[in-house]
């Protein structure tokens, strides 16, 4: 049973989801897209958001949650402003991804799966970003960074800090 | 039949089976997890691997999953081969890496499929030394315990819960080795069939929560074949006892009735047996109005004396056994015996019986219901009145999937493929009901109508079928009945006419159409309409017609064996015409037995009341019946006030017992033997699981003792329970076959021994009572049945009616069942339990169609009372089970939002229900808004306890006025569970999301 307390989706979210539904054989078929759309607006998918999406797609919350939790990149817990996806699969690992991770952790005071105190960054491992020829690599938000080393990291975070100020 | 070679030996197997079910059917031990006999194969767990060889020369072979491999003539397999054996060990070892090994504290321990399989594959040493993943468990309500760490990710639970039972609130979450089976958030599992998870899950993830309050292992349970008394479906159960308490109910397989599954009322509703308000001693009301406990002999003397005084009348009970009712009727005389139905219910049950006797249609078993290819439900909310049938209907709508699969040469057990193929395509299921039902999600169309309109729709469907038949030369019209008559000057509205067209053509297209109705909407016209459609559709092709008698009375075990298959038990109808099925639900476990016992026009409660008021009745004997549930309190009081001596035999305290002058403690179904007749006319037997404590006795024993005390001529030579059954069978022609319900007390298994109620590992039997006496007690004798209160005996190959528990060497869990079946999913080796009683004449089908009732016309300011049943709360005894008591709602009245606005009430407000004729207030109930209620109808929650007045003051079909109740104390929260809903703010959101957060 749906509680009246579940917040509605925003008009923007609804129109984006409905746009997907228009191209799909049935409402439930757009479940993944709908989750991505809501996540792009809210940063993550809370229980309440999930229930609202489920209601909009005429699915049960359990069914949608099964889909949401299956995918690593649908966030069911809050994340920082930027999500760092650091590749740790074979090529990047050979080229020193572990050291890169230590560097990042030391700089932002977070381990894998954690969010920095200022809520700026969440650090997550990922298996392959499709840029093995430029390993080691990571994605910060939507920006791909390649050939990572100490200097590159310094540059990336410095310029981001400056951009903020 | 194909011949396959397994480990050098040739076996004949059934065409179309998979290798796993073939092996199990052959009695070979082969481990498996994800396969389930009712749900087929998905090949997920890889536990059932065997080696298959290309040909006789092939020495290496390759691994195949036996559950995914169809048997084919000449195929060569090895179960024992090294490659397969090592692989199966490795699978268990990998499952075990995350398993907590907590068997000693696990409720599954001792009957765990995972334990059995681990031992079977010979895996012993765990090599994994790393951390194990752990999960947070959920609170799934009072019925089911959740312990996710024990999960081996076989996916049986979600396949059962979602795919088979249609539940939507349980899903597989997350991925990899932290996949999680649970709800989106904590809360009661919504499905009425959730309890089957306890038996479906091969590990200790889902277990019986009430059992854990006072836990007993399977090997310590004393069990007996029993029956569910929750409704008229008559599901077979295994009831287990320890220390004088009924511990749990498990499913007892009956290939024709409940198959592998029960509903939650049946599984969790039986613990009223342990209720503290059980009557332990006989009581005599003294002059000051209080009850004095008396011993049984004194009680018997009082009883016998009262029975000799004359002016004797008796009220039987549709929830008591055939035998007890028969003895009461013998004692008081047929003219003075009322079957104990309410005034409204008695004609309905009698009608249900006569419609079934006079139709030519098949009265289907549950297995046959599963084979229906088009269904029309008229008025009956089966999920709440005969729950197990709803689960069967969910399978029937899937028959199209098997047809499509057959065209592509997919086998029915290839579950994922078959489901994928059909997607949302279903066989047509039409529901005409008073309001929404729990089957709406699989229905082709649902209509919400008042009872009279449901009947009109039914007759309109029948008329269209007759017209179509008359115009089609290809189909033989079996009966030349005039077209249905509609009252003059009444035309059905167009939308309804269109629906009638659609339904009629779907039923005409079907090979196995099923009409389903019953007493549940309180209307005779609705049942008659269902029977009318059945008549229009013609006679069942399968039934053999001999001398005007239709005989489909029993599907004996031979024909069962031919018909059964694992997932799709489709019984193909032949070319002669459709096999029409007519299923009519009646309210209680022995309602139909009562109708058969008395025949039509037995004295009603009203008739007895008139006689009591006239001073004709001095002594009234009431058998297991709370009369206050049988009609308006004022009417019942009128009856009781005019009787000097009221003798009540019952098990649980109730208002009728409180009004008695002599109270006799009855043994419950779990402490007594009895025959009950289910809604399809199947007589079945339940046996005592344990001896009744204190002064409790089976009702039939009280009555027999009384009959003998007064030297009643009919009972002088009756001694055993079987004698009573035989006497009843010989006195009442309609019940002649009840003796076949189960073997009598002289039966000895394999000609040798009684059937033991205790497994051979039963512990502590010499010490269990040491707190009372240190001397080893003598084993209790059971003179009345072929079962023994003992570990000694033979529990193998006996008739299905005498199966007290399932266990086989190496198979401690309920999966050992296949050792008792002729083949997987087939009948039990000892034969299917129960005997069908109904003799069908088919007479009605040749009569003129009944007249359609007039349309229902809502009147402003007046509502038609219609009954709304609830699986938890509408049935008397199960509502006393502590676990179910937690799920009960206060009595309510369902009205539409528009009506609520008119009355200026909201959900949760109180509403007074008043008789429109007299203006008297009948009851005060809580408002529930249900916009699907048929126009002009108000639905009251049958059997629930009302705020004021009694819900039994309300009688279906009466016109009432409604008025807001003021003042009113709200009973339920306005927004249930509001505090459980998380907000969007990230700060306090980390509560739920099982599995989700683990990704990082
Ligand atoms: S909870 Fe039980 S049934 Fe479900 S996947 Fe786990 S072990 Fe299998
Ligand atoms: S209540 Fe009815 S459907 Fe449920 S288990 Fe009992 S007999 Fe079967
Ligand atoms: S039982 Fe065959 S793969 Fe699971």
């Amino acid at each position: 049973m749906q509680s009246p307390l579940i917040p509605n989706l925003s008009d923007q979210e609804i129109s984006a989801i409905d746009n997907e539904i228009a191209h799909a054989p049935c409402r439930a078929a757009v479940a993944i897209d709908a989750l991505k759309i809501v996540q792009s607006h809210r940063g993550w998918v809370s229980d309440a958001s999930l229930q609202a999406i489920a209601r909009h797609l005429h699915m049960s919350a359990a069914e949608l949650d099964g889909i949401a939790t299956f995918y690593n990149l649908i966030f069911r817990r809050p994340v920082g402003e930027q999500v760092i996806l650091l590749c740790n699969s074979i090529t990047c690992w050979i080229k020193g991804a572990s050291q890169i991770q230590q560097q990042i952790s030391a700089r932002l005071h977070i381990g894998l799966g954690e969010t920095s105190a200022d809520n700026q960054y969440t650090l997550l491992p990922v298996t392959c970003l499709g840029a093995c020829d430029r390993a080691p690599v990571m994605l910060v938000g939507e920006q791909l960074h390649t050939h990572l080393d100490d200097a590159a990291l310094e540059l990336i975070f410095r310029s981001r800090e400056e951009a903020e100020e | 039949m194909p011949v396959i070679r397994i480990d050098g030996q040739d076996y004949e197997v059934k065409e179309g089976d998979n290798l796993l079910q073939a092996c199990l059917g052959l009695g070979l031990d082969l481990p498996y997890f994800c396969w389930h006999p009712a749900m087929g194969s998905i090949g997920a767990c890889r536990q059932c691997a065997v080696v298959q060889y290309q040909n006789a020369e092939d020495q290496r072979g390759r691994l195949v999953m036996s559950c995914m491999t169809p048997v084919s003539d000449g195929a060569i397999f090895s179960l024992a081969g090294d490659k397969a054996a090592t692989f199966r060990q490795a699978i268990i070892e990998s499952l075990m890496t995350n398993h907590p090994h907590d068997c000693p504290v696990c409720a599954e321990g001792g009957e765990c499929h995972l334990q059995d399989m681990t031992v079977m594959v010979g895996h012993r040493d765990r090599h994994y030394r790393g951390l194990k993943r752990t999960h947070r468990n959920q609170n799934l309500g009072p019925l089911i315990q959740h312990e996710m760490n024990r999960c081996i990710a076989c996916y049986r639970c979600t396949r059962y819960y979602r795919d088979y039972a249609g539940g939507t609130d349980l899903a597989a979450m997350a991925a990899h080795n932290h996949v999680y089976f649970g709800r989106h958030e904590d809360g009661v599992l919504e499905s009425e069939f959730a309890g089957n998870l306890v038996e479906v899950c091969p590990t200790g993830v889902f277990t019986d929560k009430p059992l854990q309050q006072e836990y007993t292992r399977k090997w310590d349970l004393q069990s007996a074949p029993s029956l569910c008394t929750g409704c008229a479906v008559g599901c077979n159960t295994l009831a287990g006892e320890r220390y004088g308490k009924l511990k749990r109910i498990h499913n007892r397989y009956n290939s024709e009735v409940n198959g592998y599954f029960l509903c939650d009322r049946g599984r969790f509703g039986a613990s009223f047996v342990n209720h503290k308000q059980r009557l332990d001693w006989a009581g005599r009301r003294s002059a000051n109005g209080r009850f004095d406990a008396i011993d049984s002999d004194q009680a018997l003397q009082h009883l016998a004396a009262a029975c000799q005084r004359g002016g004797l009348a008796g009220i039987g009970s549709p929830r008591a056994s055939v035998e007890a009712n028969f003895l009461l009727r013998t004692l008081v005389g047929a003219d003075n015996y009322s079957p104990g139905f309410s005034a409204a219910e008695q004609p309905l049950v009698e009608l249900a019986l006569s419609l079934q006797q006079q139709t030519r249609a098949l009265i289907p078993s549950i297995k046959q219901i599963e084979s229906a290819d088009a269904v029309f439900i008229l008025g009956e909310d089966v999920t709440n009145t005969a729950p197990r049938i709803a689960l069967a209907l969910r399978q029937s709508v899937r028959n199209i999937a098997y047809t499509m699969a057959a065209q592509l040469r997919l086998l029915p057990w290839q579950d994922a493929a078959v489901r994928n193929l059909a997607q949302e395509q279903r066989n047509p299921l039409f529901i005409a009901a008073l309001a929404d039902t729990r089957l709406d999600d699989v229905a082709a169309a649902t209509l919400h109508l008042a009872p009279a309109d449901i009947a009109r729709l039914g007759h309109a469907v029948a008329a269209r079928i007759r017209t179509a038949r008359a115009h089609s030369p290809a189909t033989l019209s079996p009966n030349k009945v005039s077209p249905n008559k509609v009252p003059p000057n009444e035309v059905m509205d167009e939308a309804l006419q269109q629906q009638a067209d659609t339904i009629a053509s779907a039923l005409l297209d079907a090979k196995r159409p099923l009409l389903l109705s019953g007493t549940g909407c309180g209307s005779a016209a609705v049942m008659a309409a269902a029977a009318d459609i059945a008549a229009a559709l013609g006679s069942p092709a399968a039934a053999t017609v001999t001398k005007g008698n239709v005989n489909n009375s029993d599907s004996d075990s031979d024909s069962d064996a031919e018909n059964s298959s694992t997932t799709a038990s489709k019984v193909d109808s032949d070319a002669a015409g459709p096999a029409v099925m007519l299923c009519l639900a009646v309210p209680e476990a022995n309602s139909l037995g009562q109708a058969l016992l008395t025949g039509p026009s037995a004295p009603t409660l009203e008739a007895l009341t008139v006689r009591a008021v006239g001073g004709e009745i001095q002594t009234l004997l009431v058998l297991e019946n709370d009369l206050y549930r049988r009609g308006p309190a004022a009417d019942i009081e009128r009856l009781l006030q005019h009787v000097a001596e009221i003798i009540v035999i019952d098990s649980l305290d109730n208002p009728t017992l409180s009004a008695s002058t002599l109270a006799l403690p009855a043994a419950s179904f779990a402490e007594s033997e009895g025959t009950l007749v289910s809604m399809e006319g199947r007589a079945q037997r339940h046996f005592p699981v344990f001896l009744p404590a204190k002064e409790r006795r089976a009702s039939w024993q009280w009555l027999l003792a009384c009959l003998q005390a007064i030297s009643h001529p009919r009972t002088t030579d009756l001694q055993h329970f079987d004698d009573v059954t035989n006497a009843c069978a010989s006195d009442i022609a309609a019940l002649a076959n009840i003796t076949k319900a189960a073997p009598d007390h002289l039966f000895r298994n394999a000609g040798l021994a009684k059937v033991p109620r205790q497994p051979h590992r039963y512990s502590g039997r010499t010490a269990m009572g040491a707190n009372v006496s240190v001397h080893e007690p003598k084993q209790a004798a059971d003179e009345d049945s072929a079962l023994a209160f003992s570990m000694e005996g033979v529990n193998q190959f006996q008739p299905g009616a005498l199966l007290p528990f399932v266990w086989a060497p190496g198979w401690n869990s309920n999966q050992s069942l296949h050792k008792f079946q002729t083949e997987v999913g087939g009948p039990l080796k000892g034969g299917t339990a129960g005997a069908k009683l109904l003799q069908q004449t088919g007479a009605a089908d040749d009569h003129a169609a009944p007249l359609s009732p007039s349309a229902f016309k809502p009147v402003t300011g007046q509502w038609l009372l219609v009954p709304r049943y609830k699986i938890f709360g509408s049935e008397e005894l199960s509502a006393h089970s502590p676990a179910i008591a937690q799920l009960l709602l206060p009595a309510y009245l369902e009205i539409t939002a528009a009506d609520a606005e008119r009355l200026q009430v909201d959900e949760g407000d109180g509403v007074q229900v008043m008789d429109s004729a007299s203006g008297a207030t009948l009851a005060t109930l809580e408002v529930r808004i249900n916009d699907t209620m048929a126009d002009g109808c108000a639905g009251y929650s049958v059997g629930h306890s009302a705020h004021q007045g009694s819900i039994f003051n309300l009688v279906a079909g009466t016109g009432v006025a409604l008025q807001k109740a003021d003042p009113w104390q709200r009973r339920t929260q306005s927004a249930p569970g509001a505090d459980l809903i998380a907000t969007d703010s990230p700060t306090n959101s980390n509560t739920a999301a099982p599995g989700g957060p683990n990704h990082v």
Side-chain angles (χ1 to χ4, degrees), chain A residues 1 3-7 42 44 46-51 60-63 65-74 76-78 112-114 122-125, chain B residues 162 168-176 178 182-185 190 975-976 978 981-987 989-1000:
Chain A
M1 218 174 286
S3 157
L5 298 189
I6 299 167
R42 306 182 185 197
W44 66 296
S46 69
D47 284 357
S49 311
L50 185 123
Q51 288 160 11
S60 77
E63 200 179 350
D65 212 357
I67 295 167
T69 54
F70 180 82
Y71 292 103
N72 290 11
L73 298 182
I74 298 294
R76 291 286 282 111
R77 274 189 186 177
L112 287 176
E114 291 175 357
T122 297
L123 177 60
L124 297 176
Chain B
R162 291 158 54 103
T168 57
D169 60 329
L170 183 81
M173 312 273 178
H176 318 305
H178 54 86
R183 297 186 81 246
H184 166 65
E185 56 193 4
E190 286 163 11
I981 307 288
T983 69
D984 249 3
S985 124
T987 42
S989 61
N990 286 347
T991 42
N998 300 347
H999 289 230
V1000 287

Side-chain angles (χ1 to χ4, degrees), chain A residues 86-100:
Chain A
L86 176 66
C87 177
N88 66 359
S89 71
I90 183 94
T91 317
C92 292
W93 176 69
I94 291 171
K95 300 279 275 179
S98 329
Q99 287 91 312
I100 301 293

Side-chain angles (χ1 to χ4, degrees), chain B residues 54-90:
Chain B
Q54 289 294 93
N55 47 44
E57 282 73 53
D58 182 1
Q59 294 300 309
R60 292 174 40 134
R62 63 192 172 97
L63 280 183
V64 295
M65 296 308 130
S66 60
C67 71
M68 297 300 280
T69 308
V71 292
S72 58
D73 199 36
I76 309 172
F77 301 102
S78 168
L79 310 193
D82 260 3
K83 202 187 280 184
T86 321
F87 182 85
R88 294 195 300 257
Q89 282 195 0

Side-chain angles (χ1 to χ4, degrees), chain B residues 678-879:
Chain B
S678 77
M679 56 189 263
E680 53 153 334
R682 187 182 294 269
Q684 305 187 104
R685 188 81 36 85
H686 61 80
F687 292 94
V689 185
F690 56 111
L691 292 171
K694 318 263 173 55
E695 299 280 291
R696 297 172 192 164
R697 291 192 197 183
S699 297
W700 69 266
Q701 287 170 320
W702 280 116
L703 290 162
L704 185 60
C706 172
L707 280 155
Q708 290 177 338
I710 62 170
S711 312
H712 193 284
R714 181 67 187 95
T715 57
T716 40
D717 54 345
L718 304 189
Q719 187 188 352
H720 288 297
F721 175 85
D722 293 327
D723 303 334
V724 180
T725 309
N726 289 335
C728 178
S730 69
D731 284 13
I732 314 287
L735 295 171
N737 269 339
I738 55 169
T739 51
K740 302 197 183 122
D744 66 12
H745 70 286
L746 298 173
F747 173 86
R748 292 294 175 271
N749 207 7
L752 291 171
K754 285 191 150 201
V755 179
R757 285 179 172 87
Q758 301 161 357
H760 63 287
R761 288 182 188 141
Y762 194 75
S763 70
R765 87 170 180 184
T766 56
M768 241 193 315
N771 56 336
V772 181
S773 162
V774 292
H775 301 289
E776 185 178 339
K778 192 165 166 284
Q779 209 64 38
D782 184 348
E783 311 247 303
D784 290 306
S785 82
L787 296 154
F789 294 105
S790 162
M791 298 148 67
E792 290 94 28
V794 188
N795 179 27
Q796 227 186 351
F797 311 130
Q798 72 272 36
L802 289 179
L803 187 70
F805 53 87
V806 288
W807 181 89
W811 298 81
N812 298 291
S813 83
N814 59 359
Q815 305 290 309
S816 53
L817 178 64
H818 64 79
K819 301 282 186 197
F820 293 82
Q821 294 169 319
T822 50
E823 62 174 330
V824 165
L828 294 173
K829 282 179 179 154
T832 302
K836 288 197 77 171
L837 300 181
L838 295 189
Q839 299 285 329
Q840 292 178 258
T841 61
D845 294 9
D846 304 326
H847 293 160
L851 194 70
S852 192
S854 296
F856 171 66
K857 299 211 174 55
V859 180
T860 339
Q862 188 174 318
W863 284 262
L864 181 75
L865 272 184
V866 292
R868 293 286 280 162
Y869 287 83
K870 267 281 186 206
I871 184 167
F872 301 142
S874 291
E875 199 274 325
E876 176 185 5
L877 297 177
S878 60

